[in-house]
Amino acid sequence: MHCVRTVTDNLYWVGANDHRLTLFENIHPIPQGVSYNAYLLLDEKSVLFDTVDWSACRQLLENLSYLLGEKPLDYLVINHMEPDHGACIEEILLRYPQVQIISTEKAFLLMRQFGFDVDSHPCITVAEGDTFTFGAHTVTFVGAPMVHWPEAMVTFDTTNGVLFSADAFGSFIALDGKLFADEVNFDRDYLNEARRYYTNIVGKYGTQVQAVLKKAAGLDIQMLLPLHGFVWRQDLGYILGKYDLWSRYEPEQRGVVIAYASVYGGTENAANILACRLREQGVQVEMFDTSVTPASYILAAAFRFSHVVLAAPTYNGGVFVTMENLLHDLTAHGLKGRRAAYIENGSWAPTSARGMQKLLEPLNWETAADTVTLRSALRQGQQEDLERMAAQLAESVKA
Ligand code: FEO
């Protein structure tokens, strides 16, 4: 049965929700599910903007069948062909054999690479600044390379100010009947998942996001329609402002993320004591066990806060595995401009602080406090080392 929502005049959400997928991209947990958004414009011509993941194809087809009735589908605009949005292209071509596909040259190349038989249909290649008229609605295409793949574009409807924004402004949430960000308390309930989506999926490409934001500033945007999560029709400055901060790698808040790994509890104990001393000085702290919390959550917190404390045992002469994995993730996403401090542990040869600093070298983070070295566990009198670290961090956070 169809399940659609009206976005605005003649424009409909025809996507689907997914609560069954455990790991997005087979790596990021999505406990609140995810939505695959596709949109149908019914003008003189009918236009489908993007498709959905293969797992949701039947829902998309039922939605289209309901809205189109006996009418044909005239155009399929593919802003982003990654399979969570492009997997149903072939099925659409089979069901609507007269449909013409509009996308970028790179997108058509990737469609062929993924084995989609698009060449049996008219393929209209568009580039930055091209326009297309579907009747009352005229759209212009805007390149968005690396947001999040190289072929991506966004489509701006000059008639009603709708921006089909591809992956930009998405969230790791299933909509479950909701559609608009103004229908919920987004800042309280959904910002964390929007940040985790941005930082993990697009976070590496801050420069490219900045380029798209600059282009967007020249458009009279009234609505943002991403491929995941909420549609924005109010307070667009809020989410645009978050994207501006995140893509410049500027923290949203002064405060400390403590990420620790611990084998027998000694490092965890030190991390807990440090958190207490920081809280006593009024410093906001968020703490994670790298062996328990998936890296995507810790990466998102590191984007959010100004300071990061990394605490880990020495392991096989290097850095404990789960911490090493997190540090690779931080460097892979190019998170710039954080201030760091280190707690190392080693029962006979503690070297993990040096190892962590080496892994983080590409990010050029400044050090905000003296390193604390544990030998198995905090020894009597060594609490002063943590008090000094807390004082140095508090001073730096409040500077
Ligand atoms: Fe939601 Fe880059 O695909």
Side-chain angles (χ1 to χ4, degrees), residues 24-25 80 82-85 147-149 167 197 201 227-228:
F24 189 82
E25 291 187 348
H80 182 27
E82 190 170 3
D84 55 332
H85 311 293
V147 186
H148 130 239
W149 275 17
D167 270 346
Y197 172 83
I201 305 302
L227 290 174
H228 302 285

Side-chain angles (χ1 to χ4, degrees), residues 43-344:
D43 199 342
E44 285 172 28
K45 299 293 183 185
S46 56
V47 190
L48 175 62
F49 292 89
D50 297 290
T51 76
V52 297
D53 186 75
W54 183 245
S55 62
C57 192
R58 184 184 171 95
Q59 184 66 68
L60 172 69
L61 295 172
E62 289 181 354
N63 292 344
L64 292 177
S65 173
Y66 165 69
L67 287 168
L68 287 167
E70 297 303 312
K71 283 183 284 200
L73 178 65
D74 297 304
Y75 293 100
L76 170 60
V77 174
I78 295 294
N79 287 297
H80 182 27
M81 70 68 52
E82 190 170 3
D84 55 332
H85 311 293
C88 303
I89 291 172
E90 271 193 316
E91 192 63 27
I92 294 294
L93 301 184
L94 286 171
R95 304 276 179 139
Y96 301 97
Q98 76 293 347
V99 71
Q100 301 183 56
I101 317 167
I102 300 175
S103 198
T104 63
E105 188 179 354
K106 273 206 177 84
F108 284 121
L109 182 75
L110 285 169
M111 287 178 215
R112 293 181 192 108
Q113 277 183 207
F114 273 87
F116 302 166
D117 178 24
V118 290
D119 291 317
S120 54
H121 286 254
C123 295
I124 302 168
T125 302
V126 293
E128 175 89 23
D130 288 352
T131 61
F132 213 93
T133 298
F134 302 116
H137 292 259
T138 296
V139 299
T140 183
F141 305 103
V142 179
M146 302 318 295
V147 186
H148 130 239
W149 275 17
E151 93 301 357
M153 66 174 184
V154 297
T155 300
F156 181 62
D157 187 331
T158 58
T159 317
N160 58 7
V162 163
L163 182 71
F164 298 91
S165 62
D167 270 346
F169 312 113
S171 298
F172 282 144
I173 62 134
L175 290 168
D176 300 340
K178 308 176 286 296
L179 179 61
F180 300 102
D182 56 84
E183 293 178 312
V184 299
N185 188 331
F186 183 88
D187 190 75
R188 185 191 66 196
D189 297 333
Y190 297 104
L191 176 60
N192 281 348
E193 285 301 75
R195 183 189 302 107
R196 194 164 66 88
Y197 172 83
Y198 171 84
T199 54
N200 285 277
I201 305 302
V202 196
K204 178 181 176 62
Y205 304 110
T207 306
Q208 290 85 347
V209 173
Q210 276 289 309
V212 172
L213 289 175
K214 281 200 180 71
K215 292 182 199 176
L219 305 171
D220 183 18
I221 299 170
Q222 300 299 316
M223 290 180 117
L224 296 168
L225 275 62
L227 290 174
H228 302 285
F230 293 108
V231 167
W232 290 82
R233 63 181 174 184
Q234 292 179 14
D235 203 11
L236 271 54
Y238 169 87
I239 193 69
L240 287 164
K242 293 292 182 195
Y243 264 65
D244 183 44
L245 275 182
W246 296 335
S247 56
R248 287 187 290 111
Y249 304 98
E250 291 287 331
E252 290 167 76
Q253 272 179 267
R254 308 292 292 178
V256 179
V257 176
I258 301 176
Y260 69 88
S262 195
V263 179
Y264 293 111
T267 314
E268 181 179 23
N269 176 235
N272 273 311
I273 293 168
L274 177 67
C276 290
R277 299 293 84 80
L278 286 167
R279 284 282 186 181
E280 285 165 358
Q281 297 184 61
V283 175
Q284 178 85 13
V285 176
E286 208 165 321
M287 198 156 90
F288 300 94
D289 182 335
T290 60
S291 298
V292 174
T293 304
S296 70
Y297 291 89
I298 311 175
L299 176 81
F303 266 76
R304 178 180 177 184
F305 288 104
S306 56
H307 289 65
V308 181
V309 173
L310 300 160
T314 307
Y315 199 74
N316 291 329
V319 176
F320 188 75
V321 179
T322 57
M323 175 61 75
E324 188 176 35
N325 179 49
L326 171 67
L327 301 183
H328 280 303
D329 217 25
L330 289 169
T331 52
H333 285 83
L335 177 58
K336 298 190 262 289
R338 296 301 178 269
R339 300 185 132 233
Y342 304 89
I343 299 172
E344 65 178 353

Side-chain angles (χ1 to χ4, degrees), residues 256 270 273-278 280-281 283 307 309 340-344 367-374 378-379 381-397:
V256 179
I273 293 168
L274 177 67
C276 290
R277 299 293 84 80
L278 286 167
E280 285 165 358
Q281 297 184 61
V283 175
H307 289 65
V309 173
Y342 304 89
I343 299 172
E344 65 178 353
T367 302
D370 300 336
T371 294
V372 172
T373 298
L374 310 177
L378 208 64
R379 65 178 181 277
Q382 207 181 4
Q383 289 221 2
E384 287 169 14
D385 293 351
L386 290 174
E387 283 165 14
R388 186 174 63 250
M389 176 178 270
Q392 290 170 329
L393 282 166
E395 188 183 347
S396 178
V397 166

